[in-house]
Amino acid sequence: MRLHLRGCRPISPRRAYVIIIPLLLLLVVGAALTSLLPSPEDGVLGVLRRRANISRVIQPERATKLWDSLGPHPVPVVFKEQSSNRMRNRLQPFAEIETDAVLMLDDDTLVSAPDISFAFSVWKQFSDQIVGFVPRKHVTTASGVYSYGSFELQDPDVGGGDRYSMVLVGAAFFHRRFLELFQTQPAEMHALLDETQNCDDIAMNFVVARELSGLRRPSGVFVKPVDMRNLEKEASSGYVGMWHRAEHLLQRSHCLNRLARIYGGMPLHYSNIMISQFGFPSYGNHKSRS
């Protein structure tokens, strides 16, 4: 089984957009293509633009040459130019993806090589699920409306936040066949993602959960990272991610309810399993130490 990494990031907020498909963990991976993303002058793409003295749009062919000029790389990088700014662009089944495993990382997330290697070994055991570092959950309110949140969100059934029902694809491994399956989903689902410029990671959990519906298994497996960093917080770049928006959590709760209606029910199942390099604790232990 070979390792493949994939992701996306915008070059210009008004012109062409590119999706970067490296086969190596680094910073330029898996971002939401919205105007809330960091300036094109930040990060590796900014380096490429400054090297090329390009005023507006970097050409894919030239970008590849510039990437190579930054130093020797063990694997190639492919730039995929996009004609539209859509959050779901990163979930396309590009022909260049030859491996079964796809690793997607948001561009503000840095995960250590040992964590990546360990998660990949876990994914090989759970290749029909999303294996990643960021768990989330849904709960049902008294009125029957779904709410979205992290483990702090109280669950009426158990009274605490010791389980999850989603693993976000912004820092996760999943099988490339889910990219193809994602394209066959109802048009209403794709329209929801385009309307909100959000929730593609939630939708992918729905896709995987529905594939596992007969087994009643959760869509994801949570791997506890030892060293995962948020570059927005640590780089002092001034970048403000879309999750800072006041309406972000409300919008994601809205997506949960819309997706449940589109699919005729809630396919997500809960799990309290956390796989760690230093044992096999429960998710409740993770909560108490975070």
Side-chain angles (χ1 to χ4, degrees), residues 37-56:
L37 290 177
S39 162
E41 300 309 316
D42 297 333
V44 176
L45 287 180
V47 174
L48 295 178
R49 288 179 55 134
R50 289 191 292 273
R51 285 285 186 93
N53 193 25
I54 298 173
S55 61
R56 291 189 64 82

Side-chain angles (χ1 to χ4, degrees), residues 7-8 10 21 23 26 28 57 89 94 104 106-108 122 128 155 191 204 216-217 220 245 259 262:
C8 57
I21 310 177
L23 306 175
L26 276 177
V28 205
V57 180
N89 281 354
F94 294 106
M104 183 172 288
D106 284 346
D107 69 342
D108 61 354
V122 174
D128 57 348
D155 191 318
M204 181 61 91
R216 295 189 61 80
R217 294 169 61 192
R245 295 182 302 181
L259 288 169
I262 290 170

Side-chain angles (χ1 to χ4, degrees), residues 150-191:
S150 59
F151 60 79
E152 292 92 347
L153 187 63
Q154 294 298 300
D155 191 318
D157 291 338
V158 298
D162 57 352
R163 57 184 187 171
Y164 60 93
S165 59
M166 292 169 276
V167 172
L168 303 187
V169 297
F173 282 96
F174 53 87
H175 200 286
R176 65 173 176 175
R177 69 185 177 88
F178 290 125
L179 296 174
E180 299 171 352
L181 190 59
F182 185 86
Q183 306 306 314
T184 67
Q185 299 305 299
E188 189 177 354
M189 183 267 268
H190 292 157

Side-chain angles (χ1 to χ4, degrees), residues 245-260:
R245 295 182 302 181
E247 71 274 17
H248 180 63
L249 290 179
L250 288 175
Q251 192 174 60
R252 290 172 77 78
S253 293
H254 168 71
C255 288
L256 274 173
N257 289 278
R258 283 278 300 276
L259 288 169

Side-chain angles (χ1 to χ4, degrees), residues 15 20 27 52 58 60-61 81 83 101 137 145 150 167 176 230 236 239 250 254 277-278:
R15 297 287 299 277
I20 303 169
L27 310 182
I58 190 169
E61 297 80 6
E81 187 172 0
S83 60
K137 70 187 296 185
V145 176
S150 59
V167 172
R176 65 173 176 175
N230 184 292
S236 300
Y239 162 53
L250 288 175
H254 168 71
Q277 298 183 55
F278 305 106

Side-chain angles (χ1 to χ4, degrees), residues 8-205:
C8 57
R9 180 192 177 104
I11 291 296
S12 166
R14 295 180 180 175
R15 297 287 299 277
Y17 291 80
V18 295
I19 289 185
I20 303 169
I21 310 177
L23 306 175
L24 176 70
L25 98 125
L26 276 177
L27 310 182
V28 205
V29 205
L33 300 173
T34 74
S35 60
L36 297 175
L37 290 177
S39 162
E41 300 309 316
D42 297 333
V44 176
L45 287 180
V47 174
L48 295 178
R49 288 179 55 134
R50 289 191 292 273
R51 285 285 186 93
N53 193 25
I54 298 173
S55 61
R56 291 189 64 82
V57 180
I58 190 169
Q59 299 299 319
E61 297 80 6
R62 195 171 185 185
T64 301
K65 293 179 181 178
L66 287 167
W67 176 268
D68 292 340
S69 75
L70 294 178
H73 306 291
V75 289
V77 61
V78 178
F79 291 78
K80 300 293 288 185
E81 187 172 0
Q82 301 296 291
S83 60
S84 60
N85 178 24
R86 293 175 176 172
M87 169 74 80
R88 58 188 174 97
N89 281 354
R90 62 177 177 172
L91 296 175
Q92 298 177 71
F94 294 106
E96 291 84 357
I97 302 176
E98 299 177 347
T99 57
D100 288 336
V102 174
L103 172 60
M104 183 172 288
L105 294 174
D106 284 346
D107 69 342
D108 61 354
T109 301
L110 181 63
V111 185
S112 70
D115 281 318
I116 293 292
S117 178
F118 178 71
F120 179 55
S121 70
V122 174
W123 177 84
K124 289 190 288 186
Q125 306 301 315
F126 300 94
S127 60
D128 57 348
Q129 293 168 278
I130 301 167
V131 175
F133 304 106
V134 183
R136 292 291 183 266
K137 70 187 296 185
H138 74 285
V139 300
T140 307
T141 65
S143 61
V145 176
Y146 296 111
S147 292
Y148 170 93
S150 59
F151 60 79
E152 292 92 347
L153 187 63
Q154 294 298 300
D155 191 318
D157 291 338
V158 298
D162 57 352
R163 57 184 187 171
Y164 60 93
S165 59
M166 292 169 276
V167 172
L168 303 187
V169 297
F173 282 96
F174 53 87
H175 200 286
R176 65 173 176 175
R177 69 185 177 88
F178 290 125
L179 296 174
E180 299 171 352
L181 190 59
F182 185 86
Q183 306 306 314
T184 67
Q185 299 305 299
E188 189 177 354
M189 183 267 268
H190 292 157
L192 171 64
L193 306 186
D194 296 342
E195 168 195 327
T196 60
Q197 281 287 52
N198 201 339
C199 307
D200 63 328
D201 46 4
I202 297 176
M204 181 61 91
N205 274 269

